[in-house]
Amino acid sequence: MRTLLVVAALAALAGCSSSVRSVRALRQHGREPAKAEAVVARVEDFRAAVSLIDRLLDGPMPGDPGELARRLSLGDAEAEKLLQAIEKKGLYRDGSLRVPVATLYRQHAEAVIADGGKGTSLLEAVEARFAPGSGLAARWRDLRGARQALAQVRKAQADLVEQRDRLNPKDQAGRDRLTQQIQELAGRAEGLQEKAEAALAAVDTAFQALKFDLRDPEAKALLGDLVAVLGYGARMAAEAAAVVPVVLSQAYGALRNATVNPRGAAVAAGTLLGLVLELRALDGDLALVAEGLYALAERAADAAGVALDETAGFLYENSASDLIGGFALDSFYFDLRAGGEVLFFHNAQRDGGEPEGDAKVTYDLTGQKFRLTYDVEPIVFAAASLNLGLDLLRIPGFIQLDFGYKTDRVYKSGGTIERSDDALSALGATGAASDVLALGLAVLGVRAAVERATFNAGTVNLEDVQTDRVVARAPFELKRQKVDLSYDLLWVIDSANLRSLLDALDLGFRYTTYTVPRIVYEFEDTNGDPEVDNYVLISESDPQNVESKFYQLGILARGAARTSSGFSFPMALGFYLGGGPADFDIGDADADRQGDTLLDLVIPARLGLAYSFAEPRDRLHFDFELVYDAELIYAFSPDGVSQDENSDLGQKVVDFGGFDVFHGPSGRLRVTW
């Protein structure tokens, strides 16, 4: 089973770039601060991984046949011992960074060859023993040269892309010049990619010429060394390739910090920019090496009669690369939150509840009788939520379940209804308890969520416009139901710079039913000039619950500014736009106009402070969050269409007199795995 998963993982690496992220690597390193020193160290790990693979295959063999396979074996116990030693010194001592699996493999391999070697290389020994004259060692060197040439062109191409991104947007000539050069390099890179793939195919052809004779114990031991090195190299390259996109995002974050504060930067901005370019080149090279070595390792393992996942490179179960080693602890996650929340509802009306006017648009409210005002008490919720998920096939939350519930029933149980007459009886408020129930399910990374909310807190007042006297009261009631479908675009956008700024960029569709007490005012334009609108009040509805149904598309950006001290500052900002029918009556029951098509704008935002009581490298995290959320909702009716294209006389507009804002703080304890 695990071998099949390894095949799938390394096949997915073929031709990949930083646009393909490892979910497991992100879980392991996503909380880390953008430390320039970490970027430098990890780029060195990636360089060393490539160099070590060449050294193990084409450098002097350290010891007799069979010795290399024995030394390379890296099981869980030895890996954990090495991990603890690394965590006690240097970069990883303060606990803010997690040691990448690629770093373990690098340091273990360096220890294996620390004593040097003598005589021929492994590839030369294999060629001489099993297929003299096949050119296996020479073909590997050809592949190495082709990869190096491709990496240089990719780095030059990335350099030009960075230069173009930093140009003044008005410098179109400069952008066009750089774009042409980028396209020329892309053509060269495509040709060199084909050469590298051809060189890899030549290595494979030479490998197929090997005739393994296992009757000789020394020959069997030599084949064991070959299986061990090929498998170990494939695993080390795959682990490094998985972490490259995360490190690239960290490099952009460190680069921004160094640009803003050059004197306080541990690494100069110019050096960091060079590392960004190198990471982009290493990304594809590591993937190519991992793919090629795995195919050779599997063939050699078959010849030796062993399972590849039981050889030196695959004994260690933990992995940063999705699917390698099958399911791991980092494939599963949960997010439990419990705490309290205060919610305020605010209806921001225009002056006196009347629409505004200016030089080109005026409103005459002569004849207005009533308006609604709201005395809404804040709602104090007890809140809890649980999110469970499984990452699979490079999809975060491949399967995910959400459950959330919050209520003020802990603090309130029932209430009273006060009315001075029957004017507000149609609003239908029946109690003073508020509940929000949210359920969510995600499959293949597309999240579906449903939230149903009923709020009863405070009163809605019917005021006489002429006397400002309250003539009726009723408990305020608001009902809202939301159905959301969303997908994180960061998993398909090839922008490490953007990923360094955001945790998620959710593209979503939302269906909302929204019911609020309203008085609906209808106006008619009495001026035929299309450039000037003089609206006169022609109709005023009774107080009623206005139900609107909105179909919205939008985007929500989520992120956090993180520090090495455990504090972070979560934030989010979104924008949704849509429209749909609204259910209301204007005038008498037999009036011609009942309902209208409304447009709506929704702007959600969040700002907060969080503190983690665990080290970023720990799997189990305990956090405290204090955030302030706000959501602005503005609904309006588009202008009607006049019969005369040269005049807007008779054009009608429906107006509610303001916009709604839900806002408030929340504090919660959070436990995540």
Side-chain angles (χ1 to χ4, degrees):
M1 174 62 178
R2 191 168 68 181
T3 299
L4 293 176
L5 291 172
V6 175
V7 173
L10 292 174
L13 281 171
C16 77
S17 69
S18 61
S19 62
V20 181
R21 296 194 295 174
S22 165
V23 183
R24 196 179 293 173
L26 186 65
R27 300 280 187 210
Q28 293 177 1
H29 301 283
R31 282 175 169 256
E32 295 176 345
K35 286 188 174 182
E37 309 95 302
V39 174
V40 172
R42 287 167 177 176
V43 171
E44 178 56 35
D45 285 339
F46 304 151
R47 290 192 199 115
V50 174
S51 176
L52 283 166
I53 291 169
D54 282 327
R55 171 66 179 78
L56 287 168
L57 285 169
D58 202 25
M61 292 181 62
D64 297 328
E67 184 69 13
L68 193 54
R70 185 187 65 79
R71 291 188 186 182
L72 274 180
S73 294
L74 182 63
D76 288 342
E78 188 173 356
E80 290 302 321
K81 183 178 179 181
L82 178 58
L83 175 63
Q84 292 174 11
I86 297 173
E87 289 177 343
K88 291 179 181 178
K89 60 184 180 180
L91 181 66
Y92 299 99
R93 184 168 49 191
D94 67 357
S96 64
L97 301 171
R98 186 168 176 174
V99 179
V101 178
T103 303
L104 293 179
Y105 272 71
R106 172 204 172 176
Q107 295 204 11
H108 179 66
E110 287 177 337
V112 168
I113 62 174
D115 296 336
K118 58 183 179 178
T120 61
S121 70
L122 176 61
L123 289 180
E124 290 171 339
V126 168
E127 179 182 344
R129 184 81 186 202
F130 301 115
S134 64
L136 177 61
R139 299 294 79 75
W140 174 260
R141 292 161 191 155
D142 291 342
L143 173 61
R144 181 172 58 209
R147 287 173 28 232
Q148 290 172 347
L150 175 59
Q152 290 176 355
V153 172
R154 282 175 170 165
K155 185 175 180 179
Q157 184 181 2
D159 187 14
L160 293 180
V161 171
E162 292 290 336
Q163 291 182 38
R164 185 179 62 181
D165 290 344
R166 284 169 169 73
L167 276 182
N168 188 320
K170 297 181 179 180
D171 187 3
Q172 190 59 46
R175 295 182 66 83
D176 292 343
R177 174 178 52 80
L178 288 175
T179 298
Q180 182 178 355
Q181 294 177 11
I182 291 168
Q183 291 173 346
E184 291 174 354
L185 286 176
R188 288 181 57 192
E190 184 177 351
L192 290 172
Q193 176 74 28
E194 293 176 355
K195 288 184 178 180
E197 291 173 354
L200 181 59
V203 172
D204 186 70
T205 300
F207 196 89
Q208 293 180 39
L210 300 178
K211 304 299 181 182
F212 299 108
D213 182 0
L214 305 184
R215 290 172 295 182
D216 182 355
E218 184 175 318
K220 187 174 182 179
L222 185 60
L223 178 57
D225 285 343
L226 182 63
V227 174
V229 170
L230 291 173
Y232 192 96
R235 176 71 184 273
M236 182 162 56
E239 295 292 347
V243 183
V244 165
V246 181
V247 178
L248 189 54
S249 295
Q250 293 173 346
Y252 274 110
L255 177 58
R256 277 195 302 274
N257 296 337
T259 303
V260 172
N261 183 21
R263 291 186 177 180
V267 180
T271 301
L272 287 168
L273 180 57
L275 294 177
V276 166
L277 304 179
E278 186 172 357
L279 281 166
R280 291 196 172 278
L282 280 168
D283 194 4
D285 188 38
L286 287 166
L288 179 67
V289 170
E291 177 201 5
L293 290 184
Y294 183 81
L296 298 178
E298 188 179 40
R299 190 173 297 137
D302 288 342
V306 298
L308 185 59
D309 58 2
E310 296 177 359
T311 61
F314 295 97
L315 297 177
Y316 185 42
E317 294 285 347
N318 189 27
S319 175
S321 181
D322 292 344
L323 304 180
I324 288 185
F327 298 112
L329 288 174
D330 290 309
S331 300
F332 301 89
Y333 67 90
F334 72 82
D335 187 343
L336 175 64
R337 309 183 191 200
E341 177 178 343
V342 180
L343 180 66
F344 297 89
F345 171 80
H346 179 59
N347 178 255
Q349 295 192 4
R350 299 183 180 93
D351 186 20
E354 301 174 0
E356 294 178 343
D358 56 34
K360 293 188 176 182
V361 181
T362 60
Y363 292 86
D364 182 356
L365 284 96
T366 302
Q368 181 185 11
K369 299 177 182 179
F370 299 103
R371 61 172 168 255
L372 291 181
T373 60
Y374 307 89
D375 293 326
V376 182
E377 301 173 2
I379 309 172
V380 181
F381 285 115
S385 66
L386 176 64
N387 175 270
L388 300 169
L390 168 67
D391 300 326
L392 190 62
L393 298 177
R394 293 183 174 270
I395 299 175
F398 181 88
I399 299 175
Q400 177 178 308
L401 292 173
D402 275 326
F403 174 77
Y405 181 66
K406 53 189 177 183
T407 180
D408 64 350
R409 295 176 187 271
V410 175
Y411 307 100
K412 298 179 182 179
S413 57
T416 60
I417 302 175
E418 178 185 353
R419 294 192 179 95
S420 60
D421 55 29
D422 292 332
L424 298 182
S425 60
L427 297 184
T430 57
S434 303
D435 299 276
V436 179
L437 176 65
L439 296 172
L441 171 67
V443 179
L444 296 175
V446 178
R447 182 183 178 189
V450 178
E451 180 181 284
R452 300 187 66 178
T454 300
F455 302 116
N456 288 325
T459 60
V460 54
N461 305 315
L462 182 67
E463 292 186 356
D464 186 303
V465 172
Q466 302 303 319
T467 64
D468 292 333
R469 184 175 65 89
V470 176
V471 299
R473 289 190 178 90
F476 172 78
E477 181 178 68
L478 182 148
K479 295 181 179 180
R480 185 168 64 165
Q481 177 172 300
K482 295 191 298 183
V483 179
D484 279 303
L485 293 174
S486 62
Y487 182 77
D488 184 3
L489 291 178
L490 288 187
W491 293 95
V492 295
I493 295 177
D494 184 12
S495 175
N497 197 357
L498 186 61
R499 294 183 195 127
S500 69
L501 293 169
L502 301 176
D503 293 334
L505 185 63
D506 296 328
L507 176 66
F509 166 79
R510 175 180 291 181
Y511 168 71
T512 306
T513 59
Y514 184 47
T515 303
V516 184
R518 305 284 194 192
I519 291 179
V520 184
Y521 303 99
E522 185 175 28
F523 299 86
E524 183 174 1
D525 189 4
T526 59
N527 186 323
D529 186 353
E531 301 297 325
V532 179
D533 295 322
N534 296 327
Y535 289 112
V536 174
L537 180 66
I538 61 172
S539 182
E540 176 180 333
S541 75
D542 292 330
Q544 60 190 286
N545 279 325
V546 176
E547 181 182 19
S548 304
K549 298 179 180 179
F550 298 123
Y551 303 86
Q552 306 160 329
L553 287 175
I555 197 161
L556 177 67
R558 295 182 283 122
R562 297 180 174 86
T563 69
S564 59
S565 61
F567 286 97
S568 61
F569 304 90
M571 57 193 75
L573 182 64
F575 181 89
Y576 285 84
L577 184 64
D583 184 14
F584 56 81
D585 296 329
I586 298 180
D588 298 330
D590 59 352
D592 292 335
R593 190 160 189 184
Q594 295 185 341
D596 206 339
T597 299
L598 298 180
L599 298 180
D600 82 313
L601 172 67
V602 179
I603 302 177
R606 163 176 288 189
L607 185 62
L609 172 67
Y611 181 76
S612 177
F613 296 96
E615 301 292 354
R617 67 186 177 204
D618 295 338
R619 286 192 176 95
L620 187 63
H621 289 268
F622 296 89
D623 302 334
F624 175 75
E625 293 181 336
L626 181 63
V627 300
Y628 202 97
D629 289 289
E631 185 172 86
L632 181 148
I633 304 172
Y634 177 52
F636 57 97
S637 170
D639 292 346
V641 179
S642 173
Q643 300 295 326
D644 186 351
E645 61 180 12
N646 296 318
S647 172
D648 60 359
L649 185 66
Q651 179 174 271
K652 296 180 180 180
V653 173
V654 170
D655 187 272
F656 295 142
F659 56 88
D660 302 326
V661 182
F662 293 91
H663 61 101
S666 62
R668 51 185 169 258
L669 289 173
R670 183 180 181 188
V671 182
T672 57
W673 174 272

